[in-house]
Amino acid sequence: MKALLLFLVLFSNAAFAADTIVVSDAWLRASLGKVPTTAAYFKVENRGAAPDKLLSISTTAAGMAHLHESVETNGVAQMRPVPSIELKPGQSVVLAPGGLHVMVMNLKAPLIAGEKVPLVLRFEKAGEVKVEAEVRGLK
Amino acid sequence: MPRWLLIAAGALVLFGGLAVGITLRQATAPEARAAAAKAAVPYKLLDHNGRTVTAASYRGKLQLVFFGFTRCPDVCPTTMAKAAALLKDLGPLAGKLQVLFVTVDPKRDTPAALKDYLLAFDERIVGLSGSEEQVAAAAKAFGVYFEEHLTGFEDGEGAPDYAFDHSNAVYLVDDAGVLLRAYVIDDVNLLGDLRDALERMK
Ligand SMILES: [Cu+2]
């Protein structure tokens, strides 16, 4: 009984810690032909009481993944590296086409719609948060 | 190209396009059409089947032209997905619209690679490539800005990776090859304007 209680306490603590940062709707664009580059998108929410910061992302599916932002200046599209994304308590940030994205480079194999790809997000305080991203086609 | 020159060129395309559009609507006299034909946008590129094409190659169709590169992870696929959606929304009218994707990265985007890439969007979209000189000349003809820069990373082969800043507009060319105007792909009027123009061509 004591062991069970201890287990429950530990388990609920772990669940509570994991819930501080909530990543949802993670997806990657399916490969277009043999192009070795794609992008990943998701929503990240800080449900904790303290600010946190998304520092980096990695995936076993590709050689490199970097936070990026597409910006438009006088009709010219540019991409800028984004060093980190700040998340105040209660704040959520959405990465979506045409803006903030994860640039995924040097894919090890083409990504096919319907596949699941693991992403690891590293936060300053929450540490590593793992998510399964869905590969989505254009349809 | 200095930024002010780019803006001036853009304004010229937009304003000039409006003027041409008005002319086409008001006068369909043979003289007007002949005059317009002389001003076809001067590009000469290689299509994704290896055929040399100019604006005249698509005479009788409207052209919707975008300049990008296949390794562009966000803006280009988003724009081309929207262009593919336009083709679907136009239904049978899309038969008189040629969507063209001109690569600003001909070193990596061969005709075969372009064909492969565009099939993921819509088989009716045609990719255009060519020599670096031909691509630069085509960009100039449309008033498109692009600039190569190193990303600071290595590609899969360990070579320095590079990317491009590039104009994000789509350019509408009339059925005589004349550049009419630039749109942003999200322009709420784009679908309606295309539908009107395509219906007038019947
Ligand atoms: Cu990017």
Side-chain angles (χ1 to χ4, degrees), chain B residues 128-166:
Chain B
L128 302 182
S129 187
S131 67
E132 286 179 64
E133 292 74 20
Q134 285 175 318
V135 167
K140 198 177 162 203
F142 280 87
V144 162
Y145 166 90
F146 71 98
E147 191 171 283
E148 184 180 318
H149 59 84
L150 294 173
T151 59
F153 304 116
E154 286 183 351
D155 67 17
E157 278 80 55
D161 183 53
Y162 58 90
F164 295 84
D165 297 345
H166 58 97

Side-chain angles (χ1 to χ4, degrees), chain A:
Chain A
M1 187 63 197
K2 265 182 187 164
L4 179 63
L5 264 178
L6 185 66
F7 171 79
L8 283 174
V9 168
L10 285 175
F11 182 79
S12 58
N13 272 349
F16 177 74
D19 271 344
T20 306
I21 293 288
V22 178
V23 180
S24 54
D25 198 28
W27 64 282
L28 294 111
R29 186 178 291 106
S31 287
L32 304 163
K34 294 175 190 73
V35 178
T37 309
T38 191
Y41 307 94
F42 49 80
K43 179 182 173 183
V44 55
E45 187 182 355
N46 182 2
R47 290 191 187 162
D52 206 343
K53 213 185 241 188
L54 173 58
L55 300 174
S56 65
I57 286 144
S58 63
T59 172
T60 50
M64 276 188 280
H66 295 278
L67 282 172
H68 254 213
E69 186 172 25
S70 296
V71 289
E72 188 249 293
T73 318
N74 297 325
V76 175
Q78 288 174 293
M79 283 196 310
R80 275 192 205 135
V82 174
S84 63
I85 295 175
E86 306 248 7
L87 291 154
K88 294 188 198 84
Q91 192 187 353
S92 57
V93 171
V94 177
L95 283 73
L100 283 170
H101 59 275
V102 183
M103 171 129 124
V104 179
M105 290 168 69
N106 305 344
L107 284 171
K108 289 172 186 164
L111 299 181
I112 296 155
E115 287 178 342
K116 301 275 190 214
V117 171
L119 299 182
V120 180
L121 287 70
R122 272 176 214 84
F123 293 85
E124 194 175 68
K125 297 199 180 97
E128 287 192 351
V129 175
K130 294 182 177 129
V131 288
E132 288 264 283
E134 184 198 355
V135 178
R136 291 187 194 162
L138 297 161
K139 270 91 207 175

Side-chain angles (χ1 to χ4, degrees), chain B residues 43 48 51 57-66 87 93-101 122-128 171-173 194 198:
Chain B
Y43 69 79
H48 68 207
R51 189 172 65 115
S57 306
Y58 303 105
R59 193 161 288 167
K61 283 187 174 189
L62 295 185
Q63 300 171 47
L64 193 66
V65 187
F66 178 73
L87 284 172
L93 280 175
K96 290 207 165 184
L97 176 67
Q98 182 60 59
V99 176
L100 297 168
F101 178 94
D122 192 302
E123 61 189 13
R124 292 170 287 185
I125 301 175
V126 170
L128 302 182
Y171 298 85
L172 184 61
V173 174
L194 285 173
L198 291 163

